[in-house]
Amino acid sequence: RQVLAALADLPSIHITNAQFWSANFRNLLRLQPQYINFGMLEADGRLFASALPFSGPPDFSQASFFREVVQRRDYAVGGYEAAFLTNRPTLTFGHPVRRSSSEVARVLFAAVDLSLIGQLAAETPLPKESVLLVLDRYGHVLRRTPNPEGWQGQMARDSALFQTLATEREGTAELSGLDGVRRLYAFASLSTGGETGLFIAVGVAQEAAYAAANKTLLRNVLLIALTALLALGAARLHARRHLLQPIQVLTGAAQRLAAGDLSARTGLKGEADLNQLAQTFDDMADALQRRQAEIERAGRQIQAMNTDLEHRITERQQAETLVRASLREKEVMLKEIHHRVKNNLQVVSSLLRLQARNLKQPETIAAFEESGSRVQSMALVHEKLYQSSSLSELDFAAYAQSLTDSLLRSFGT
């Protein structure tokens, strides 16, 4: 591509002297022997100049590289070309010579002998019994290694291998090859300007592909098994000494502690985890024993306090009984006092009324009657207190009603 692009940029590329360009192409071919021909085509596909001699203007308008260049107006990789001018199968590359950005004036081309691909394939180190395939974008086999005879130029478009190459472009797949043998293929595409030019695939028999991995896997499995056996034996010895025995001692002490023996201890010492756990167990048992002693001592104190409290409660109950009896006596005495005061006031009131009947002056009679009413009101107070459940207060509404009724009866209105 670089060679053709450099030629297309030459100022003299539009010279119409065919002999001039044929001579230049021959010189270029001598400098780069990996090519077998250089040339230039007219815009209609007729051969304009070539490093190899030709008679008449051969028509390349149907060549794959020419059609791609004219269609895309850019560099293109052609497909498999049968022997033409070179008498050998070739792979041809094309590059446009532009008169403007959108018009192709001529087409430069360079042809490579397909045997060059065979030489590159022979230099590539491949696994034993592997197959290397190079195909063009149309599905033609450009090279098959080993045993290339009979495969060059064969069409493989309909094969599962080519369909996978054309679809995925790059990757791996387990497929049946062109010879019908199933292999593990790795493949990639060679692209130019976003367009795929060639496909390369390497197929390896599954047995050969996985032989080294299987051998390594078997060796690793054996080493792992041996290591596991040694580790298991060492782990068993270690477990018996550092795990099983301490666990048995710890379990026995825990069972004795659960049965109520707070003096149970493991007696294990050391830096091992289980030994530290056993020491923690012993510390816990010591703490439980101390706590149990404290609980028993506190229980005895609480029992003594309960006994004292019961004695005090009994004394208080007796005192409350005496107080209640005294209160009842005082209440009876107060009621009796109120009753006697009310009776005496009634007597005084009656005497005042009797005396008022013997008087003649209205002012004196009114004074006696008023005094009797007042004494009567006081007597009514003591009567209400005597009848009330409380000796310190009375219902004023009931008292006022009773007083009014008494006054109305006294004054006869």
Side-chain angles (χ1 to χ4, degrees), residues 15-27 40 42 47-52 54 106:
I15 294 177
T16 59
N17 188 343
Q19 294 180 356
F20 169 79
W21 276 112
S22 294
N24 283 324
F25 289 147
R26 284 192 293 272
N27 292 331
M40 191 184 320
E42 297 286 1
L47 184 61
F48 170 71
S50 171
L52 298 179
F54 62 93
R106 291 175 179 172

Side-chain angles (χ1 to χ4, degrees), residues 36-37 41 45-47 50 52-61 63 65 80-92 109 111:
I36 59 174
N37 193 15
L41 305 177
R46 290 180 296 107
L47 184 61
S50 171
L52 298 179
F54 62 93
S55 59
D59 186 3
F60 283 79
S61 61
F65 76 90
Y80 171 82
E81 303 287 351
F84 192 75
L85 294 181
T86 62
N87 295 323
R88 286 180 288 179
T90 60
L91 180 65
T92 309
F109 69 87

Side-chain angles (χ1 to χ4, degrees), residues 67-115:
R67 295 199 307 269
E68 289 290 334
V69 171
V70 173
Q71 180 180 357
R72 295 174 50 206
R73 297 182 179 87
D74 199 356
Y75 171 82
V77 180
Y80 171 82
E81 303 287 351
F84 192 75
L85 294 181
T86 62
N87 295 323
R88 286 180 288 179
T90 60
L91 180 65
T92 309
F93 306 84
H95 196 286
V97 178
R98 299 182 181 88
R99 183 174 289 113
S100 64
S101 60
S102 60
E103 183 181 0
V104 177
R106 291 175 179 172
V107 174
L108 288 166
F109 69 87
V112 176
D113 191 347
L114 290 181
S115 61

Side-chain angles (χ1 to χ4, degrees), residues 285-325:
D286 291 338
L288 285 175
Q289 193 171 20
R290 290 193 300 270
R291 184 63 57 85
Q292 183 65 28
E294 293 174 358
I295 290 174
E296 291 177 354
R297 183 169 56 254
R300 290 191 295 269
Q301 293 176 355
I302 291 173
Q303 186 176 3
M305 293 173 62
N306 286 337
T307 303
D308 182 63
L309 183 60
E310 289 175 357
H311 180 68
R312 291 183 181 183
I313 290 173
T314 302
E315 292 178 350
R316 182 161 184 163
Q317 288 176 347
Q318 292 175 355
E320 288 180 353
T321 301
L322 294 175
V323 170
R324 289 193 185 96

Side-chain angles (χ1 to χ4, degrees), residues 88-341:
R88 286 180 288 179
T90 60
L91 180 65
T92 309
F93 306 84
H95 196 286
V97 178
R98 299 182 181 88
R99 183 174 289 113
S100 64
S101 60
S102 60
E103 183 181 0
V104 177
R106 291 175 179 172
V107 174
L108 288 166
F109 69 87
V112 176
D113 191 347
L114 290 181
S115 61
L116 176 63
I117 300 177
Q119 297 174 11
L120 296 175
E123 297 172 359
T124 304
L126 296 176
K128 186 178 180 181
E129 299 180 0
S130 62
V131 174
L132 183 142
L133 285 169
V134 181
L135 300 94
D136 64 14
R137 71 162 66 90
Y138 305 105
H140 293 102
V141 177
L142 303 182
R143 182 71 183 186
R144 183 189 185 276
T145 301
N147 305 322
E149 298 80 8
W151 290 101
Q152 195 171 66
Q154 294 292 324
M155 175 60 74
R157 177 183 294 272
D158 297 331
S159 65
L161 175 60
F162 182 79
Q163 295 296 327
T164 303
L165 295 176
T167 302
E168 300 183 13
R169 303 298 178 89
E170 185 173 348
T172 58
E174 186 179 342
L175 300 166
S176 296
L178 302 182
D179 56 359
V181 178
R182 196 168 185 83
R183 298 183 178 89
L184 182 64
Y185 281 92
F187 52 88
S189 61
L190 300 182
S191 302
T192 56
E195 294 291 331
T196 300
L198 300 175
F199 294 103
I200 301 177
V202 175
V204 182
Q206 292 184 356
E207 294 78 6
Y210 299 132
N214 290 335
K215 183 178 180 180
T216 303
L217 177 62
L218 180 59
R219 183 180 68 251
N220 292 340
V221 168
L222 293 176
L223 290 176
I224 291 173
L226 179 60
T227 304
L229 290 175
L230 294 176
L232 185 61
R236 184 174 181 181
L237 294 176
H238 182 272
R240 177 176 296 179
R241 180 177 180 181
H242 298 283
L243 292 177
L244 295 180
Q245 292 179 356
I247 287 175
Q248 292 175 354
V249 173
L250 187 59
T251 302
Q255 290 175 350
R256 290 170 55 196
L257 185 65
D261 183 7
L262 297 181
S263 63
R265 301 293 186 272
T266 62
L268 296 176
K269 305 292 183 182
E271 298 296 329
D273 292 340
L274 282 177
N275 290 344
Q276 293 181 3
L277 178 61
Q279 294 175 22
T280 304
F281 176 86
D282 292 344
D283 295 339
M284 180 193 70
D286 291 338
L288 285 175
Q289 193 171 20
R290 290 193 300 270
R291 184 63 57 85
Q292 183 65 28
E294 293 174 358
I295 290 174
E296 291 177 354
R297 183 169 56 254
R300 290 191 295 269
Q301 293 176 355
I302 291 173
Q303 186 176 3
M305 293 173 62
N306 286 337
T307 303
D308 182 63
L309 183 60
E310 289 175 357
H311 180 68
R312 291 183 181 183
I313 290 173
T314 302
E315 292 178 350
R316 182 161 184 163
Q317 288 176 347
Q318 292 175 355
E320 288 180 353
T321 301
L322 294 175
V323 170
R324 289 193 185 96
S326 175
L327 287 176
R328 283 194 298 271
E329 292 176 357
K330 289 180 175 60
E331 185 178 357
V332 171
M333 183 177 64
L334 285 174
K335 285 185 177 182
E336 183 64 24
I337 290 171
H338 280 299
H339 180 63
R340 292 180 179 273
V341 171

